[in-house]
Each structure stands twice: as structure tokens, then as C-alpha cells.
Amino acid sequence: MAIFGKKYFKVELDRPERKDDETLWMKCKACGELVFKKRVRENNNICPKCGEYFFLTAPERIELLVDPGSFEDISRPIIAADPLQFTDEDGSAYPEKIKKAQEETGLANEIIIGQARIGGYPVILAVMDFRFIGGSMGSVMGEQICQAIRHAVKERAAFVLISATGGARMQEGILSLMQMAKTASARKMLAEAKLPFISIMTYPTTAGVEASIASLGDITLAEKGALIGFTGRRVIKQTIRQDLPEDFQTDRFAFEHGMVDNLVKREQLRDELIRVLSLFAPLLTQSPAVAIEAHKKEAIV
Amino acid sequence: MIYEELQRQIEQLRILSRNGLDLSEEIAQLEAKLAALKRQTVAPAPSPSPATELDDWERVKLARHPKRPYTLDYIKSLTEDFYELHGDRLYGDDAAIVTGLARFEGQTVVIVGTQKGRDATENVKRNFGMPHPEGYRKALRVMKLGERFGFPVITLIDTPGAYPGVGAEERNIGGALAQNIYELFHLKVPVIATIIGEGGSGGAIALAVGDRVLMLENAIYSVITPEGCAAILFRDATKAPEAARALRLTAPHLLRLGVIDEVIPEPPGGAHLEPEMTLGTLKEALQRHLCELLALPVELLLRQRREKFQKMGVYEEIPESSLS
């Protein structure tokens, strides 16, 4: 899947990747109306009839946010291993699951990291793809996020994390839990380098990722329609045996309980990011000392 | 005791030698004695008996055994003058996490542990050892208090996980866990975490980012409960024993995966049968690790802590040629 003349990090597949089915129309899951697929795509994957958000793949998300032609994939060439030799009860081994996800998405992993510009500002993006085993965090995602942070420091770029994940990758057991610590330990490098970390939570941002790197942003934005929380609704319901509030773990819920700085509509996300990045502008690309000095002078003048 | 006496004597000789007296030989002698003594105490613990034949599901049951020693039992037996501290100063107090200052082998330390109840009444109070955000925030508050005074931190983990409830979500349990994990990487004092029973997912790791992570032989540590894993992946919660085996959640597995540093042996049949033995072994291990960690300069300590967790994870490098 080449866009802007650049390729995403992919692996060679035995079978050709699955093409989108060729139908021109789709039915909106919210309003039930038949809508023209092309119109939906042009509309940032939002239903043109009722405004319902359909999820974005990582490449679509990147396309939506970055300056055209500026994106370059900087993923480490790694893919998931099977340290536990994990087999689901249905007999499907973890490596098969990975392979299937790769075939279905055309991506090597559940996360794409890349270097880009947004409104001219240098950023390192880390974007999860929910289609790839629920965007769950295993050893690969942990390492790619650390790689992204290292690159942000090297390039003096802002770090922008876009979460779409159900949480930890159970098939990697304890090692997936350890990625919470691994990613959190890398986060400090950004603070030390005085580089901003903007965390964008989308549908869904839950469990192991929500309880680690996604909650450690300097600025935290929730996309309209996001689902944000630690424990899944179903588990909580089973535990407390009570009905849950209608708006439980919605974007609005997260905002009202002080978990995110702002709620942003998808079509405004790029502009919102540019606004935020501009406030950190002097710190991006220049060394912090130089930047702070320049900023002071500007303020005095 | 002898150890401290020797240290005191060396210190005195050093003070004396500042007045021009040459005591270097005497100091060297005493230091050699001290080193020998250190080696004795640092002698490696007996390696865990090859009781690994115990099935993983059996260990899950042992880890959850209602008679197993709990955090307060360890605090009582391992430390002196425990002074419990309460409240997160933001919302409330959470009895599922016990924290405070205590003396461990003469050294003031911060103790943090999740606490289960022995009976129904106590379990209501302790919420079955499942903390709310205020518990984690209290723990962080007290650990930072300890940091100001250079008190090392000892954490004891025995929780099914953070509490899955509405209030916990409303008060941002995920954010509280994330904050603890993050801050633990920057706590400028030694941190030793011990999984004593159940190490349940995010609620456990939020207290287990340590320079050393120890684990009792029959404790478990996992990203999800076997029941939860069975329900989600196997679509059948009764398949928990299979899930327990698949998750590799016991101490011997975790040692192999490089997630823990040392297994603390338990008597055959579990820690509850001879609690004194387990407590003694853990005490020795904590003492040994603490001694090593206290000798490290803070910068090195923090760097090693970070590097330890940076290394965790297993993935496959793929050759550039297979990229498209």
C-alpha cells in the first residue's frame, strides 16, 4: 500500500493481500442508510447521512493528519515472535493469527511508526491499527513505541501517539504486561529532551495501553466517539451486577471525569494538532537551550 | 549486628585518621573482615527445589490459598515499628493497599502492599485485595515521601487486579496505574518488588517496577487471570486450567522469560504450611538485594532499572530483503 510515493513497512506474503470488497455501497451501522462508499471515504470515514464515525485504519489515519508527501515509515524491521508457544483453544497458533492479520491488513504489525510533518512541524507518529488483533500491545508494539520515542529525540520532533487498541496482547502473556513498563520507561526521554508528547485516544483506547503510555501524554486529546477506560464494560457489569451509566467510558465521560484535555471531531483533528504543535514550535528541531533562549528574546522584544 | 559494629569501627578509625594518624592498615583489616562477612550473607539462596512438576493450575490454587501469608503477615514478621499511613490526599483511603514506614534490619523503609481479607468482613474492607485509584495514588504519595528521605521501597504484591468498577473508572484507574509505573522509573531509591501471591495484571505491575522483582515459588504473575483468558480466547471460563498453562504465569516460567530475578522457595505444599520458613527466606533475599542496591549510585540505579525493563519482550528481526 504505497501512498505519497512511500511504502509502509510490510512483509512479503505467501498470498496476495486481501482486496477491499468491490461493492460501491455500504450500510451505515448507526442510521441504517445505504451510503456510497466513496463519499464515506472522502468524508474521513464518517457517515454523510448521520455523522457516525467508522473506524480508520492506520494508513487512513496517517493520510488524514500529515502534510501530503511528508510521511516516511521508520518502523524497525521486526515482527511478532511466539515466546509462549501460545495456542488458542480453537487450535489456532499465535503465529498463524499474526499471519492472518498481516494478510488482512497488508501491514507487518499492529502499529506504524513514521516521521512526518503536520502543518510544517516535525512529528514522529505512532499509529495503531485496530484491525490487527485488536491493535493489542505485544513486544513488537512496545519496541516500536520506544523506537518512535528515540527517533523523536534524535530528530527533535513532537511525539504523537494515536491509540486504537483493546489493550495487552494476551498471546504474549506476561511479556505483553511488561510492555506497559517498557513504554513508560522510554517516555521520560521526551521530558528530558523537552519535547511534547501528544496522546490521541480514539475508539477504543483501553486496558494495558490506556493504563500506560496512552495516559502519559503532555496533552491528551480524545477523538469524538472514543471509548476510553481500563476494564471492559462487560467485565465490570459481571463484577458489580448493576447496569452501567449510558455514557460509561465514552469520550464525554472521559472529559467530564478529567481524563482528557479536549474532545476533538475527526475532521478537526489535524487543525487541532497544528494549534497545539505551534505552541511548542521553538522546541521542535532546535536544541532546547537555543529554543528557550530564542523564545525568551522574542518575548522580550 | 556484627556487620554494623564493623562498619561503625571503620567509620571511627576514618575519623581518627583525619587528625594525621596513619590507621590505613587497621582500616584495611577491618574492611577485609567486613567484605568476608558480606560474602557470607550474600551467598546465593538455595536454588528452588525442582518442584516444578507441580502443575501450573495447582500453583494458581496455591497462590490464591486463603491461608497463605498476606502482606500484613509479612510486614509483621519482616519489619519492626511499622507505622501505617493513610489516604491519597485527593479522594480517600483505600484499605486494599497497605503502606507506611517501618524498620527492616535497622533501616527505615517504605512498605507498600496489596492486602486481602481473611474473612467476609475483612474482605469487604479490603475489597478482596483489589485496589481503587486512590490506593495507587496513596502508594505513590508514600513512596515519594520515602524518596525525600532516602528510604528504600519494598513492595509486596498479592492482588487479583485493580478493581473493575464504576468508581475506579470514574477516578481514572488507568491513569493512576500509568502514573505509578512512570514514576517508579524515577524514584531515586532502591525498589524491590515481591510477588507473594497473585500478581494480577496492571494492578500488579503498577507496584512492581523494581530494581529487583522477586517471586514466591507458588505465586503467579499474569497479564490476565486464567479465567479471564479462558473466557476471551477460549470462550469458556471453565477452561481456566488450560489457560493457566498457556499463559506461563508461574515463577519458574517467568524466571526463564527474564521477567523476574529470583524465585523464593516455599516449603512443599505451599507457604501457608510453614510460613516461618518462607518469611525467613524472603527476609534473607530482601536483605541481600537491598545491600547490593544501596551500594549503587542513584544514577546507575535508575539507569539499570530502565534498561532492565527496556530489554523485556521477544520479537523476530526480519531481513530487509523480505520487506516489500
Side-chain angles (χ1 to χ4, degrees):
Chain A
M1 189 183 296
I3 58 163
F4 324 130
K6 306 261 185 205
K7 283 178 177 173
Y8 288 111
F9 170 42
K10 302 195 297 185
V11 285
E12 203 66 70
L13 301 167
D14 300 341
R15 279 182 274 165
E17 67 189 71
R18 212 162 70 177
K19 293 270 180 291
D20 264 355
D21 67 274
E22 303 295 326
T23 56
L24 298 173
W25 297 85
M26 61 183 282
K27 195 173 175 182
C28 173
K29 62 184 190 311
C31 65
E33 294 272 340
L34 272 181
V35 286
F36 196 41
K37 265 191 182 170
K38 199 168 159 229
R39 279 279 290 128
V40 173
R41 286 222 41 159
E42 283 167 2
N43 199 31
N44 303 317
N45 268 14
I46 301 168
C47 175
K49 296 271 168 66
C50 72
E52 174 73 11
Y53 280 31
F54 306 122
F55 82 91
L56 288 176
T57 65
E60 285 167 346
R61 176 69 73 182
I62 293 165
E63 201 170 351
L64 175 74
L65 294 179
V66 305
D67 297 353
S70 72
F71 182 84
E72 188 191 344
D73 194 316
I74 55 162
S75 299
R76 275 197 63 184
I78 53 174
I79 54 167
D82 185 16
L84 268 50
Q85 283 150 0
F86 197 98
T87 301
D88 287 6
E89 189 63 7
D90 62 15
S92 68
Y94 180 43
E96 286 167 31
K97 214 165 208 161
I98 294 286
K99 208 154 171 223
K100 198 165 151 237
Q102 287 171 337
E103 280 164 3
E104 281 174 1
T105 60
L107 302 174
N109 295 308
E110 62 288 335
I111 190 165
I112 296 176
I113 64 167
Q115 190 169 343
R117 289 193 172 258
I118 296 179
Y121 300 110
V123 296
I124 299 292
L125 283 169
V127 187
M128 298 173 200
D129 197 309
F130 190 74
R131 295 171 302 162
F132 200 109
I133 316 189
S136 52
M137 178 164 70
S139 301
V140 168
M141 186 188 286
E143 175 59 20
Q144 299 288 20
I145 287 174
C146 292
Q147 172 84 344
I149 290 172
R150 288 190 291 264
H151 264 269
V153 172
K154 200 171 104 207
E155 304 292 334
R156 291 218 59 78
F159 176 53
V160 178
L161 174 74
I162 301 167
S163 302
T165 172
R169 172 86 41 96
M170 272 179 288
Q171 292 87 348
E172 290 184 31
I174 195 78
L175 292 174
S176 65
L177 188 71
M178 292 302 124
Q179 303 312 307
M180 294 171 70
K182 177 169 171 168
T183 53
S185 77
R187 192 258 174 264
K188 178 78 164 188
M189 291 167 66
L190 296 165
E192 282 166 352
K194 295 199 177 2
L195 290 166
F197 166 16
I198 303 166
S199 176
I200 301 176
M201 300 180 169
T202 75
Y203 183 94
T205 300
T206 55
V209 175
E210 194 256 352
S212 62
I213 191 71
S215 284
L216 294 172
D218 294 302
I219 310 278
T220 307
L221 304 176
E223 184 180 63
K224 194 187 141 198
L227 172 79
I228 298 168
F230 179 59
T231 310
R233 211 187 153 89
R234 198 171 45 87
V235 175
I236 295 176
K237 220 174 152 177
Q238 273 169 10
T239 311
I240 62 171
R241 292 166 204 284
Q242 277 170 24
D243 281 336
L244 297 172
E246 187 71 21
D247 70 342
F248 191 61
Q249 293 180 332
T250 59
D251 50 349
R252 176 79 21 214
F253 178 93
F255 183 74
E256 279 170 4
H257 289 95
M259 292 158 65
V260 299
D261 290 301
N262 280 301
L263 303 182
V264 189
K265 286 183 183 158
R266 181 178 288 172
E267 56 271 35
Q268 283 160 3
L269 206 48
R270 179 177 146 86
D271 288 343
E272 188 95 358
L273 266 177
I274 295 171
R275 274 179 67 194
V276 172
L277 288 168
S278 76
L279 296 166
F280 294 92
L283 289 162
L284 302 172
T285 67
Q286 299 170 25
S287 80
V290 174
I292 288 164
E293 226 25 67
H295 191 71
K296 265 192 210 155
K297 265 189 204 145
E298 232 169 77
I300 293 163
V301 175
Chain B
M1 281 318 270
I2 306 169
Y3 189 84
E4 277 147 7
E5 179 58 24
L6 275 172
Q7 265 182 330
R8 200 181 54 79
Q9 282 181 14
I10 293 171
E11 203 44 48
Q12 273 180 347
L13 288 178
R14 284 217 176 101
I15 292 164
L16 282 174
S17 64
R18 268 184 225 144
N19 305 327
L21 219 57
D22 183 13
L23 297 167
S24 53
E25 212 172 298
E26 284 82 345
I27 292 176
Q29 268 178 12
L30 286 181
E31 273 177 338
K33 252 192 201 172
L34 189 67
L37 199 66
K38 246 188 200 172
R39 270 197 300 277
Q40 269 175 28
T41 30
V42 178
S47 58
S49 52
T52 35
E53 306 90 43
L54 209 56
D55 178 72
D56 288 349
W57 180 243
E58 294 299 319
R59 284 200 205 272
V60 172
K61 287 193 276 187
L62 279 178
R64 294 170 174 172
H65 198 286
K67 289 202 171 129
R68 201 172 167 79
Y70 289 159
T71 287
L72 281 170
D73 303 313
Y74 286 94
I75 292 176
K76 201 172 155 198
S77 146
L78 299 178
T79 71
E80 287 165 359
D81 304 327
F82 176 57
Y83 187 74
E84 189 173 355
L85 299 170
H86 292 276
D88 68 347
R89 303 295 184 270
L90 297 164
Y91 179 82
D93 188 40
D94 183 354
I97 288 186
V98 169
T99 179
L101 302 176
R103 242 184 296 275
F104 176 74
E105 296 296 293
Q107 157 89 54
T108 302
V109 295
V110 166
I111 299 264
V112 181
T114 48
Q115 178 67 35
K116 293 177 178 173
R118 289 268 174 228
D119 53 43
T121 323
E122 210 200 343
N123 259 325
V124 169
K125 179 180 165 190
R126 304 289 180 190
N127 199 30
F128 297 87
M130 292 185 279
H132 279 77
E134 43 276 21
Y136 293 99
R137 291 182 178 128
K138 169 174 72 174
L140 184 57
R141 177 178 78 80
V142 177
M143 291 191 284
K144 294 197 102 157
L145 180 161
E147 182 188 35
R148 292 198 287 276
F149 299 96
F151 301 152
V153 173
I154 293 173
T155 70
L156 301 165
I157 294 135
D158 185 14
T159 175
Y163 185 63
V166 176
E169 296 290 325
E170 284 175 338
R171 299 192 290 282
N172 196 6
I173 181 68
L177 299 176
Q179 204 59 41
N180 270 34
I181 295 170
Y182 178 69
E183 295 287 348
L184 271 165
F185 277 108
H186 313 298
L187 206 69
K188 297 187 182 73
V189 287
V191 179
I192 304 179
T194 307
I195 318 289
I196 56 169
E198 283 184 278
S201 193
I205 195 167
L207 299 175
V209 175
D211 303 297
R212 299 283 191 275
V213 181
L214 317 179
M215 188 161 166
L216 264 60
E217 192 181 350
N218 295 316
I220 55 168
Y221 190 13
S222 179
V223 66
I224 188 168
T225 59
E227 290 81 357
C229 177
I232 296 171
L233 288 187
F234 303 169
R235 292 184 182 83
D236 182 356
T238 62
K239 295 203 165 131
E242 285 92 320
R245 288 186 273 275
L247 284 166
R248 309 268 193 266
L249 42 60
T250 62
H253 288 307
L254 299 185
L255 191 65
R256 269 196 296 279
L257 288 167
V259 169
I260 58 165
D261 299 293
E262 187 174 325
V263 181
I264 308 298
E266 291 183 29
H272 58 287
L273 295 180
E274 277 176 79
E276 292 314 312
M277 179 194 147
T278 314
L279 290 161
T281 321
L282 179 59
K283 186 173 191 170
E284 179 279 323
L286 287 173
Q287 210 177 333
R288 176 160 41 85
H289 289 292
L290 201 54
C291 185
E292 282 171 22
L293 295 169
L294 281 168
L296 297 177
V298 171
E299 266 174 44
L300 183 62
L301 184 78
L302 293 185
R303 201 176 71 217
Q304 286 181 356
R305 193 182 302 161
R306 184 145 98 181
E307 282 168 0
K308 173 184 169 71
F309 284 90
Q310 279 286 316
K311 277 192 294 218
M312 288 189 191
V314 176
Y315 42 78
E316 204 176 302
E317 303 268 350
I318 55 173
E320 296 282 340
S321 60
S322 70
L323 303 181
S324 56

